Amino acid sequence: MTTRHRELLTDIQREFPGFAVVPKRGSTLQRGIALLLAVVTLGGQRHYVTRYHTVLFGKLYVPDAWNRMDDATRYILLRHERVHLRQRRRMGDVMMAFVYLVPFFPLFLAWGRARIEWEAYVETIRATAEVHGLEAARALEQDIVRRYVGPDYGWMWPFPRTVRAWFGEVIADLEAEAASTD
């Protein structure tokens, strides 16, 4: 039986022929990044290898949790990560790395990273609404705000009201789309 996430994986592999899902634990690079993140966030980001999924160089590096995820969760995650793959294609590796790490600061006010991640989180919210309904999508707000203003992404955008406003715009768009199909 074909599952939704497997169909999406096939589509992603067609769109990005070098794409693969790779365990983080087996990657020296990913373990090195984890150590660096733990140091620069003073231990705030110490779950990089065990909880976070990362697109880098056209591959999706996954934590051990990937093996325990159900089809719907994987599908939603892959929708988010496909956005990053498309950003990479649009910007190239060097420019994407620069935008992700530099404007304005690598930590505490990372506008570039905030915007790159926001584009992908919009897709997470949309995919969640598609799979689980609008109420489930609304329930993501607190977690997304926490990630933006906390150590998960190096305090990339420490303005919760702004993130909530962005979130509200996406929910309003989803509500308008739902109303127009009724």
Side-chain angles (χ1 to χ4, degrees), residues 126-178:
R126 288 182 161 284
T128 300
E130 174 189 310
V131 172
H132 299 297
L134 195 52
E135 286 308 310
R138 282 188 186 102
L140 296 174
E141 181 177 9
Q142 183 176 336
D143 189 52
I144 291 172
V145 171
R146 179 190 57 75
R147 288 179 180 200
Y148 265 72
V149 303
D152 293 19
Y153 289 98
W155 303 274
M156 69 181 162
W157 201 248
F159 307 109
R161 286 170 59 200
T162 303
V163 180
R164 284 190 182 92
W166 293 342
F167 189 90
E169 290 171 10
V170 176
I171 295 297
D173 288 347
L174 289 170
E175 290 169 340
E177 289 168 16

Side-chain angles (χ1 to χ4, degrees), residues 2-19 75 78-79 82 85-86 89:
T2 304
T3 60
R4 192 183 322 207
H5 93 271
R6 288 182 198 268
E7 290 174 6
L8 182 54
L9 263 175
T10 298
D11 287 345
I12 291 171
Q13 288 168 329
R14 261 192 296 259
E15 188 175 354
F16 303 95
F19 176 78
Y75 173 77
L78 287 168
R79 293 262 306 261
R82 182 174 59 182
L85 290 164
R86 289 175 173 168
R89 179 177 57 207

Side-chain angles (χ1 to χ4, degrees), residues 16 53-60 79-106 110-121 153 156:
F16 303 95
H53 302 79
T54 306
V55 166
L56 195 60
F57 307 120
K59 309 283 186 230
L60 173 59
R79 293 262 306 261
H80 175 107
E81 301 302 344
R82 182 174 59 182
V83 170
H84 291 315
L85 290 164
R86 289 175 173 168
Q87 291 166 330
R88 175 183 182 246
R89 179 177 57 207
R90 189 173 67 232
M91 289 186 252
D93 286 327
V94 173
M95 181 56 78
M96 186 159 171
F98 176 81
V99 171
Y100 201 84
L101 296 172
V102 177
F104 299 123
F105 302 106
W111 179 85
R113 181 164 50 256
R115 296 313 297 169
I116 284 173
E117 287 299 339
W118 188 251
E119 188 178 336
Y121 274 112
Y153 289 98
M156 69 181 162

